[in-house]
Structures are given as C-alpha cells and as structure tokens.
Amino acid sequence: MQDLNDIALFAAVVKHNGFSAAARDLNVPKSKLSKHVARLEEQLGVRLLERSTRKLRMTEVGRIFYEHAQGLLDGVAAAEAEIAAVRAEPTGVVRLACPIGFTPMLADILPAFHRRYPGVRLLITASNRRIDLIEERIDVALRARDQLDTDSQLIVRKFGEVRQRLAASPTLLARLGEITTDNLSQMPTLSMNEQHPNDVWRLVHATGGAIEIAHRPVVGCSDFLILERAAIEGMGIALLPDHICERAFRTGALVPVLPEWTSGNVMVHLVFPSRHGLLPATRALIDFLAENLIKALERCREVDPRPAASFEI
C-alpha cells in the first residue's frame, strides 16, 4: 500500500511540470518533494519521471500511473467534500415544488423546519403540473401519483400512500337522504376535473371490487382546498385525499359518504436530481420532509371518521 501523500506530491509535480513550480504552489521545500517522489519510485520499483537540469518528463509507466493516481485523488477529494457538506451548517436557498393539495400539510411542518435550520430560505412552487426539475432549477419536488417517478435522471424517495374518500357536509347529507352507489351519480358533486363538465370517479371497495361513477359536478377545480371548502359549505359531495379531509373529519365539518369505497392508493414521493454533491440545505430539507411527512401521512390514514348518522343535524 503506497503512501497517499507520496502519490499526491508526485501528481503535483506532474501537474506543475516540475519540482520548483510544485514546491512554490504547495509552499514546501523542493527537496521534500524530491524525497517523496523518489520514495514512491523505490516502493513501486519503476522510474516514474525522467529528470534533467532543464526539463522533466514522465516515463510511459509514469504516465499510466499518473492517470490512475489522479482518479484516486479525485475520488478522495470528492469524499472529503461530501463529509464537509454533511458537517456544514445548512444555509442558503432551496427551491421546492409540490402539488397544491399538499400546501396545508407543508404549512403545518415548515415552522419546525425554520426553527431547526434558520439559515435556510425556501422558495416553494405550488402547482399540479409536472415540474421539470432540471429545466426549472428546482432542487426537490414532492409528487403524488399512481406510480413512482421512473425518470432515470432523478433519485426517488418514497414517503407513503394516500387515498381519496367521498365526503360531504352533515347538512347536505341530511337534505339528500340515503346515498348509494346507484344514486351517487344523481347527487350534486365536486370534481378535480376543471376541463370538462362531466367526470368519472373510479372507486375501489374495501373487499377489492371496483366501480366507475359518471357524474356532472357543480364545481370543477384542480385545487383540493377549494373543493374542501365547497364541500364544507354544502355545495356537493367531494372525493378528497386523506390529508385534505382529515381535519374536517375530526371536527365533524365533513362526514364520510360510502366510507367502504375509496380511490386507489396514490404514492407520495420526493424526487431530486442526485444524491452526490447535495448542498447541506437541500439534504436537510429532504431528511426533514422524510421524517415529518411520513408521520403526517400516517396520522391521516389513522383517521376513523364517524359515520354521518352519529352527527346531530
């Protein structure tokens, strides 16, 4: 096993094309450089450099050794940079993208992030469109989709799953009477589909069966928060994710409709361009979201909403 210092000093001599220039750049005696290179040649049993009073050149075996040695030194430098980044105090700007429906959950946990990392500034893009991280210079994106992102350029970190539940206000249910899968399509509904006047809900039963409900929503909007508010105000029945309707279910502002029917699971995950070279602030945000969003999603799935009959209308 060769001394890494000997290898590094040999590479410096080659890089600066001579002992004198390398000694000046490194601020070490020329004699010390010569001693280390000579020791390296002795241990390897080959001549790496041809020296004369006027010039220096690598031997063929020296050139081969230098190419491999430089790769080794670059790897060591990268490893040291990674360690320094981990140890550094997170500061600077991090750009985060997330679906609009996750903004309330983020709003709940971001104050704790700020208290832990006061030097980090967040720029948050809330949008339901697909964000191109590279093109739009986004550091981290939170996504909720039927399948995990398969872009080979991105690193994926899964957090959990959410379902969508049918929900309505107690007053609306009292006015509508009994709701079944047969008459659901005739009820006033609220939809995520903002492009078309008609929509289809694909629902899965707790036992595994599936149905499609075609309906004509009174409101179509891609913002779950607007649909939640409209449902609370009694405008119609909405299909809302766990993390949107959780609080309203707990307080009774909304109650479940056909609770045995939900949407299929949607996978919540983070994507970011690379694990290597992440700035401390970006790594801190990723780790914080992994810790706290997982807990929040678990709380949402634990909600056991009371059936509509248990509310006094």
Side-chain angles (χ1 to χ4, degrees):
M1 181 68 69
Q2 307 306 318
D3 189 317
L4 189 60
N5 287 327
D6 291 349
I7 297 174
L9 293 175
F10 161 72
V13 171
V14 173
K15 176 182 177 182
H16 292 87
N17 200 30
F19 284 90
S20 297
R24 287 192 297 270
D25 184 72
L26 298 174
N27 195 27
V28 298
K30 179 181 175 181
S31 59
K32 180 178 180 180
L33 286 180
S34 181
K35 177 182 176 181
H36 279 274
V37 172
R39 183 171 65 182
L40 179 61
E41 290 178 323
E42 182 182 353
Q43 291 174 342
L44 292 172
V46 296
R47 194 77 166 166
L48 299 175
L49 299 172
E50 294 289 354
R51 305 166 180 84
S52 71
T53 56
R54 293 186 177 181
K55 62 180 181 179
L56 176 146
R57 70 176 184 85
M58 282 187 291
T59 64
E60 182 61 24
V61 70
R63 182 187 61 78
I64 295 172
F65 181 80
Y66 173 75
E67 291 176 355
H68 289 284
Q70 193 59 55
L72 171 64
L73 295 173
D74 289 343
V76 171
E80 290 177 340
E82 291 279 354
I83 297 300
V86 171
R87 296 179 60 186
E89 180 67 23
T91 59
V93 175
V94 180
R95 291 173 170 81
L96 169 68
C98 73
I100 295 173
F102 277 87
T103 53
M105 186 178 290
L106 284 177
D108 285 342
I109 65 176
L110 287 183
F113 177 81
H114 176 68
R115 289 191 294 270
R116 188 182 300 181
Y117 304 108
V120 178
R121 294 181 292 147
L122 294 178
L123 299 180
I124 301 174
T125 299
S127 174
N128 290 333
R129 66 180 176 83
R130 181 183 177 86
I131 298 290
D132 186 322
L133 275 70
I134 306 300
E135 183 70 22
E136 301 182 49
R137 298 175 57 227
I138 297 295
D139 299 304
V140 184
L142 179 65
R143 290 177 173 168
R145 296 178 179 169
D146 295 337
Q147 296 180 335
L148 294 176
D149 200 300
T150 57
D151 190 329
S152 61
Q153 293 183 313
L154 300 177
I155 305 300
V156 177
R157 188 165 180 177
K158 183 180 176 182
F159 286 169
E161 298 174 342
V162 296
R163 296 165 296 181
Q164 293 181 342
R165 301 170 180 264
L166 292 168
S169 70
T171 52
L172 177 65
L173 293 184
R175 178 165 58 85
L176 295 178
E178 183 181 6
I179 297 176
T180 67
T181 55
D182 292 330
N183 65 12
L184 179 58
S185 62
Q186 306 304 315
M187 301 296 172
T189 58
L190 310 169
S191 169
M192 270 286 288
N193 191 335
E194 60 184 17
Q195 301 296 325
H196 302 285
N198 300 320
D199 194 14
V200 176
W201 283 334
R202 294 170 177 81
L203 304 176
V204 179
H205 194 270
T207 59
I211 58 172
E212 292 188 350
I213 303 293
H215 59 108
R216 294 176 58 85
V218 296
V219 174
C221 179
S222 59
D223 189 339
F224 279 123
L225 301 183
I226 292 179
L227 298 183
E228 179 203 30
R229 188 72 240 172
I232 290 174
E233 295 299 327
M235 294 180 64
I237 300 169
L239 187 63
L240 300 173
D242 294 322
H243 60 278
I244 296 295
C245 57
E246 173 204 9
R247 290 182 179 177
F249 276 167
R250 291 185 189 277
T251 62
L254 291 175
V255 292
V257 177
L258 303 175
E260 68 276 14
W261 292 94
T262 64
S263 71
N265 287 334
V266 174
M267 286 175 276
V268 181
H269 55 286
L270 273 188
V271 293
F272 46 98
S274 173
R275 293 186 189 277
H276 303 292
L278 282 177
L279 294 176
T282 304
R283 189 183 299 275
L285 178 62
I286 291 171
D287 292 341
F288 181 86
L289 292 177
E291 174 188 353
N292 291 276
L293 275 184
I294 289 175
K295 293 178 181 177
L297 291 172
E298 289 174 349
R299 285 196 302 270
C300 291
R301 293 185 70 90
E302 291 170 358
V303 173
D304 184 18
R306 291 171 287 170
S310 66
F311 287 90
E312 293 185 5
I313 308 302

